[in-house]
Amino acid sequence: MKRTCEVAVVGSGFAGSLLARVLAVLGYDVVLLERGTHPRFAIGESTTPLANLSLERLAVRYGLPDCYHLATHGRWMAHLPELRRGLKRGFTYYRHHPGEPFADRGLESERLLVAASPEDALSDTHWVRADVDHHFVRRAVDAGVEYLDRTELTSAEFEDGSARLRGRRDGDALELEAGFVIDASGPDGFLARQLALPSGLERTYTRAALVFSHFDGARLMRDEAPMLPAGPYPDDWAAVHHLIDEGWMYSLRFDHGTTSAGFLLTPRGLASLVDDGSADATRLWSVLLERYPTIGRLFADAHATMPIGFVPRVQHRLTRAAGAGWALMPHAYAFVDPLFSTGIAWGLRAVERLALAFEDAASGDRKPDAATLARYDAALGEEGDQIDLVVAGAYEAVAHFDLFAAQAMLYFTSVSFAEVSQRLGAADDVSWKGFLGVGDPVLGPLARESFERLRGITRQRGAPGSAGERAEFVDWLGRAIAPRNVAGLADPERHNLYPVDFDVLMQRHALLGMTREQLLERLPALRGLGPEPRFAEPPAAARRDVASRPARGDFGPLQECAPDTNLPEWSTLKLR
Ligand SMILES: Cc1cc2nc3c(=O)[nH]c(=O)nc-3n(C[C@H](O)[C@H](O)[C@H](O)COP(=O)(O)OP(=O)(O)OC[C@H]3O[C@@H](n4cnc5c(N)ncnc54)[C@H](O)[C@@H]3O)c2cc1C
């Protein structure tokens, strides 16, 4: 099979499919290549307000109403109930100690809740990736993308900024000439190997192994600690984080009762669990449940719906994100950690950026120019570093709950300030704005400073520091974030329970450079109220093109999942 196209997108996770679809809407001739098939199991499920704002902007700009509907739990239920998802009202954290049940000390408990939405209907979601990715690839095909699954690419040659991709599909040779290649193939991705892109991992700090699966029958934390004072939302309808000496565990409950859960273990934590050098996933899982009795009870009767998997290191990082004729999506370029759920938001922001770059090029070269690609490369580099510093700081801070609760405020200040600014600002300005405080004179430098201070306290050996050291850090962090703290964070009177508080926001209008009256006028937009937006019509040229293209691609029924083909070679999930 020989074919030419303007853009080849390698990998049909949500990022590749969505970008392929947007480019087709813009009138580009796009081929989407996938080595596996849909639907397929994948992890990386919890969205955030910034992710959903990206979805909304993409929806409005490129005429994709389903993306707008997927951006809140309420709209999702009303328009796409067949796609499985979970209600995510916010971020919940508990600190557990070995051999002790979680201690309910009322408002003094080691518990932090930060609401991300004021009510269920407007809330974020956990995506059942099998369903959501499947949906996005089908919509890409509807938009005119040619989708080739079961395709094993073997080489990529670049000449004069264009590419020749070779591979096999169903045993037949495939040759594709593409004006531009977007690599959305995730970790250990296609272009990293073809272009021999050097690793940049040594410039990063976060390191963690992963033990994970999906489980049926997991209990709710509220049933294990029923007397805890009420928080701003029900604790379990959130991204739940259980902090432990060895790292942390995520637990994401879907509305149909399945829970996605996994332990992220620091190298020191993993070494303390594995005394004979072998890391058997099922055994590690059992040892951790035994060591932490409350977590043990939560999962005592749960059974894994997929084999429990083990990944020795989830982090990866490259030294380049773009070049002449190619660009990497963030997950192909770098991954830090699931802590703070940055992956989907970062991926969607890159979809926006590259879509704009192709939009600008549509009447000219029909591919992003060198300056735009250099800007994209630099943005991903700085943002990868920033995510790493915020997360690595949080891993240091696990040493003591007070430190962790303070470090988390750095993340929440960055994202709440960005969210409010984005809701108030012009959509066009947003997508190139730095992620997680990058480029912000206040927030930008804080990630490194906080990380260094925490390492000073923990001596890089997990030491909790003295009460004085901790109090000083908490005090410093509160003062440092104050110029961007529009959400009333780091307030001791809240006892680590933070609702979405519009009154505080109104009081702090000056931090946004607005008068009280100006902010009051924009309040409906901030609350997510108001009529459904007008979605852009695809350009006439694109509509004509789509009609003339054959729809291609094989799809299985929604609920049957093949194993995730994107897991690295050494994943036990893949090996079984
Ligand atoms: C343990 C863990 C938990 C996470 N939790 C969260 C979370 O809660 N929230 C969040 O925002 N992010 C989370 N992430 C990050 C999230 O998983 C990623 O950001 C997201 O999956 C990126 O999506 P993508 O579409 O770019 O790539 P992927 O989902 O990785 O999709 C890549 C696709 O490319 C295909 N492919 C691979 N190689 C080839 C090839 N050579 N040729 C053709 N096709 C290929 C694969 O089959 C796959 O379909 C988590 C990550 C991990 C590891």
Side-chain angles (χ1 to χ4, degrees), residues 10-17 33-38 40 42-48 51 126 129 133 151-153 184-190 193 210 212 250 252 264 314 329-332 335 337-338 340-347 564-566:
V10 181
S12 66
F14 72 87
S17 297
L33 302 142
E34 166 62 49
R35 73 178 175 196
T37 55
H38 283 279
R40 54 96 174 90
I43 51 174
E45 296 135 326
S46 192
T47 69
T48 60
H126 310 306
R129 289 286 302 273
D133 289 12
T151 299
E152 202 59 57
L153 293 174
S185 66
D188 189 26
F190 173 64
R193 274 173 283 125
L210 170 68
F212 71 103
Y250 65 87
L252 314 174
L264 278 299
V314 293
M329 296 308 284
H331 201 217
F335 180 67
D337 200 86
F340 301 132
S341 305
T342 47
I344 295 177
W346 202 27
D564 184 358
T565 55
N566 198 35

Side-chain angles (χ1 to χ4, degrees), residues 123-457:
S123 90
D124 300 320
T125 49
H126 310 306
W127 293 356
V128 173
R129 289 286 302 273
D131 292 11
V132 174
D133 289 12
H134 190 195
H135 168 82
F136 279 131
V137 80
R138 281 180 298 160
R139 290 298 169 101
V141 170
D142 291 345
V145 170
E146 183 170 350
Y147 172 59
L148 301 177
D149 63 358
R150 303 185 308 276
T151 299
E152 202 59 57
L153 293 174
T154 48
S155 69
E157 288 160 26
F158 285 84
E159 210 179 298
D160 300 330
S162 293
R164 175 167 287 121
L165 307 181
R166 289 200 175 85
R168 301 195 79 75
R169 181 168 197 255
D170 285 345
D172 295 331
L174 170 82
E175 192 177 310
L176 186 62
E177 268 180 48
F180 198 91
V181 180
I182 288 162
D183 185 357
S185 66
D188 189 26
F190 173 64
L191 282 187
R193 274 173 283 125
Q194 294 304 321
L195 299 175
L197 298 174
S199 168
L201 199 61
E202 78 285 351
R203 63 181 289 131
T204 69
Y205 299 95
T206 312
R207 296 288 180 273
L210 170 68
V211 187
F212 71 103
S213 191
H214 274 189
F215 299 86
D216 281 343
R219 294 198 188 95
L220 299 176
M221 191 61 190
R222 288 301 290 182
D223 297 331
E224 291 304 316
M227 305 310 284
L228 281 171
Y233 56 83
D235 290 36
D236 294 276
W237 300 110
V240 178
H241 305 69
H242 298 286
L243 310 177
I244 59 174
D245 286 0
E246 298 80 3
W248 66 284
M249 177 198 210
Y250 65 87
S251 180
L252 314 174
R253 198 173 182 87
F254 298 113
D255 294 349
H256 63 287
T258 296
T259 298
S260 174
F263 287 98
L264 278 299
L265 304 168
T266 61
R268 193 173 48 236
L270 181 63
S272 75
L273 295 163
V274 182
D275 41 23
D276 60 358
S278 69
D280 174 79
T282 310
R283 207 178 118 237
L284 269 178
W285 182 262
S286 311
V287 169
L288 284 158
L289 296 198
E290 268 168 40
R291 190 172 281 194
Y292 293 96
T294 301
I295 302 178
R297 277 204 299 279
L298 293 174
F299 285 88
D301 299 325
H303 70 272
T305 62
M306 304 290 292
I308 295 177
F310 176 70
V311 182
R313 191 195 70 224
V314 293
Q315 289 72 27
H316 72 98
R317 172 73 185 254
L318 298 172
T319 41
R320 280 185 75 191
W326 60 273
L328 307 178
M329 296 308 284
H331 201 217
Y333 170 66
F335 180 67
V336 177
D337 200 86
L339 194 61
F340 301 132
S341 305
T342 47
I344 295 177
W346 202 27
L348 289 172
R349 187 71 72 82
V351 172
E352 287 188 86
R353 290 170 177 171
L354 290 173
L356 282 180
F358 277 95
E359 209 181 315
D360 288 346
S363 55
D365 281 358
R366 300 201 51 85
K367 54 177 94 173
D369 59 36
T372 306
L373 291 173
R375 185 183 188 191
Y376 180 80
D377 179 48
L380 259 56
E382 286 181 64
E383 292 168 350
D385 289 348
Q386 185 82 341
I387 297 169
D388 178 54
L389 286 168
V390 174
V391 170
Y395 267 97
E396 289 291 329
V398 166
H400 193 284
F401 189 70
D402 291 350
L403 296 176
F404 185 88
Q407 172 71 3
M409 296 301 112
L410 178 55
Y411 166 77
F412 288 112
T413 302
S414 295
V415 293
S416 55
F417 186 76
E419 180 188 351
V420 171
S421 308
Q422 290 184 21
R423 286 192 190 278
L424 294 172
D428 277 5
D429 297 342
V430 169
S431 68
W432 283 102
K433 284 253 162 68
F435 192 65
L436 228 52
V438 167
D440 180 318
V442 174
L443 295 172
L446 277 188
R448 179 167 291 281
E449 185 168 355
S450 186
F451 174 60
E452 301 292 357
R453 282 175 180 253
L454 284 163
R455 291 223 291 190
I457 296 171

Side-chain angles (χ1 to χ4, degrees), residues 94-115:
Y94 307 102
R95 180 60 157 102
H96 300 259
H97 299 280
E100 298 171 18
F102 177 76
D104 177 355
R105 290 195 231 105
L107 288 173
E108 303 313 313
S109 303
E110 291 180 299
R111 170 183 178 234
L112 164 67
L113 267 67
V114 184

